Amino acid sequence: MYSFKNDYAEGAHPRILQALSDTNLEQSEGYGCDEHSLAAVQLIKKRLGADADKADVHLLCGGTQTNLTAISAFLRPHEAAIGTNMSHIFVHETGAIEATGHKILTVPTTDGKLYPDGVNAILDMHPNDEHMVKPRLVKISNSTEIGSVYTLKELEDLSRFCREKKLLLYADGARLGSALTAAGNETTLADMRRLTDAFYIGGTKNGALLGEALVIVNDALKEDFRYHIKQKGGLMAKGRILGIQFEELFRDDLFFDLARHANAMAQLIVSSLKKAGYSFLTASPSNQIFPILPNTLIEKLHKNWAFYVWSKIDESHSSVRLVTSWATSAEAVRKFIEEFE
Ligand SMILES: Cc1ncc(COP(=O)(O)O)c(C=O)c1O
């Protein structure tokens, strides 16, 4: 059985394990103040372009933890976040954001993306009225929960709109590596810094054992952030584990190379399924793809392949979610493709 269920089925890239092993007996400061964490922060900042020095970078453990720590720190008690109805914070985080007291207002989507029109509709429904929550933060995921990737123009339009409306723009980058290395993508980490108030760079789903790097750009959101991390249980005594991993990922282009590999494996499957005449839930140039298959075929594939059935399309067809990773082998992909020939 080979799994296309997710991009965290394997451990970590060998270079990361090697770096952890090589530094194992070093004695270091705790709570992210060790030399590797400090070096990792500098390496990430170097990728952020002009004014990079002004951004704050914090290393956290996981996506949900990063989202809830950031969003709850950025919002005042009566303020709410806006996301799509597929948004990870809305569907798959066990109410973590709501548990911090902030409502999530949702916009329906078919392609996974949030556009100014959808956000505007939420604003229209929430005129200045202290009996309602106040929409304040727009949360997007890039790549999205269904594998689509924002174009640079879409990000620029959304960013401009948010600034006009005095909304914060926060990007969940659990799969940012995949988005930024997808075919046709023009967005860079420097653009993410330029266009958002904060975003995170996902390590967990791109070759790290665990870890996400949160970049806070907006000065007004920076103050006391380490207090928020600590209060939410995210300030790790052995913060070095995160630092060593991100140092390795950004020492050179490892972070991007691993994401590129994951994308290439997924896109091999896409072209083969397209050739065989299958369609997809949405266009996805990233490492998550959602082909629509006959239920009979899904049943047959499940004998040798693990993957999630995503949604019912009609009585005899469903969309499935196939995810490739930095470690997906070309051999496995070749064998999977053979099932469709
Ligand atoms: C877009 C997105 N955000 C956040 C997360 C949450 O990550 P974690 O499972 O590390 O909390 C995921 C996990 O799949 C995700 O897909």
Side-chain angles (χ1 to χ4, degrees):
M1 186 68 85
Y2 193 87
S3 175
F4 289 112
K5 273 189 165 177
N6 56 55
D7 36 17
Y8 43 91
E10 296 93 0
H13 187 269
R15 265 182 56 187
I16 287 182
L17 290 183
Q18 190 62 49
L20 289 166
S21 169
D22 289 347
T23 53
N24 194 36
L25 291 179
E26 278 179 18
Q27 293 185 311
S28 65
E29 293 294 322
Y31 301 104
C33 298
D34 63 285
E35 63 181 88
H36 298 288
S37 300
L38 300 178
V41 164
Q42 288 311 318
L43 289 172
I44 290 169
K45 283 187 178 186
K46 268 197 192 160
R47 307 271 179 163
L48 300 179
D51 288 339
D53 252 7
K54 294 192 191 141
D56 280 359
V57 179
H58 299 277
L59 304 180
L60 290 106
C61 292
T64 303
Q65 181 195 59
T66 306
N67 286 336
L68 88 91
T69 307
I71 293 173
S72 66
F74 298 164
L75 295 182
R76 294 168 70 204
H78 57 290
E79 293 176 339
I82 302 172
T84 71
N85 61 340
M86 290 184 191
S87 174
H88 204 269
I89 57 167
F90 180 60
V91 186
H92 285 126
E93 294 186 5
T94 327
I97 307 299
E98 291 93 332
T100 66
H102 301 284
K103 189 168 180 173
I104 302 174
L105 303 162
T106 58
V107 178
T109 180
T110 51
D111 66 1
K113 299 183 193 178
L114 197 51
Y115 297 97
D117 279 358
V119 177
N120 208 26
I122 296 282
L123 297 184
D124 285 346
M125 283 184 267
H126 295 79
N128 277 342
D129 175 358
E130 66 275 17
H131 297 266
M132 301 177 104
V133 293
K134 187 173 182 182
R136 170 70 173 139
L137 179 144
V138 170
K139 187 268 189 187
I140 58 169
S141 300
N142 199 25
S143 62
T144 71
E145 287 74 6
I146 51 169
S148 49
V149 173
Y150 283 85
T151 64
L152 182 54
K153 169 137 189 345
E154 286 165 349
L155 289 175
E156 286 174 341
D157 289 348
L158 190 60
S159 175
R160 194 177 317 109
F161 176 83
C162 288
R163 283 174 187 165
E164 273 167 26
K165 301 288 180 183
K166 296 194 169 36
L167 297 170
L168 300 170
L169 180 58
Y170 167 66
D172 174 336
R175 296 188 176 84
L176 189 58
S178 177
L180 300 190
T181 55
N185 169 71
E186 291 175 332
T187 310
T188 62
L189 281 176
D191 292 318
M192 295 302 293
R193 178 200 55 73
R194 179 171 63 87
L195 299 171
T196 68
D197 292 281
F199 69 98
Y200 80 85
I201 305 169
T204 304
K205 298 170 174 86
N206 193 31
L209 279 179
L210 79 166
E212 325 294 322
L214 175 69
V215 180
I216 306 181
V217 182
N218 182 335
D219 286 339
L221 306 178
K222 291 175 183 168
E223 193 178 337
D224 293 342
F225 197 76
R226 276 173 63 84
Y227 288 77
H228 290 279
I229 301 177
K230 179 66 181 174
Q231 199 175 59
K232 294 284 182 295
L235 203 58
M236 298 288 117
K238 288 186 183 169
R240 62 190 273 166
I241 303 296
L242 301 171
I244 291 163
Q245 295 183 86
F246 274 100
E247 190 180 22
E248 204 52 41
L249 284 171
F250 284 95
R251 181 186 300 290
D252 49 25
D253 280 338
L254 183 62
F255 176 81
F256 297 100
D257 292 343
L258 297 184
R260 220 172 266 120
H261 172 82
N263 288 349
M265 293 300 104
Q267 296 312 308
L268 280 176
I269 302 175
V270 168
S271 33
S272 159
L273 291 196
K274 275 190 181 161
K275 228 182 267 169
Y278 294 106
S279 61
F280 293 76
L281 206 53
T282 193
S284 163
S286 73
N287 72 323
Q288 291 190 94
I289 56 174
F290 295 76
I292 295 169
L293 302 176
N295 294 339
T296 47
L297 177 58
I298 293 171
E299 208 175 304
K300 181 180 150 232
L301 289 170
H302 263 155
K303 293 196 174 108
N304 294 316
W305 308 94
F307 56 86
Y308 289 110
V309 176
W310 184 256
S311 61
K312 178 177 169 177
I313 301 296
D314 59 32
E315 286 315 309
S316 54
H317 292 80
S318 303
S319 69
V320 303
R321 176 183 185 252
L322 302 174
V323 189
T324 52
S325 81
W326 61 275
T328 299
S329 76
E331 176 63 5
V333 167
R334 193 184 54 73
K335 283 199 180 131
F336 184 69
I337 287 171
E338 275 173 16
E339 302 266 15
F340 298 86
E341 287 168 353

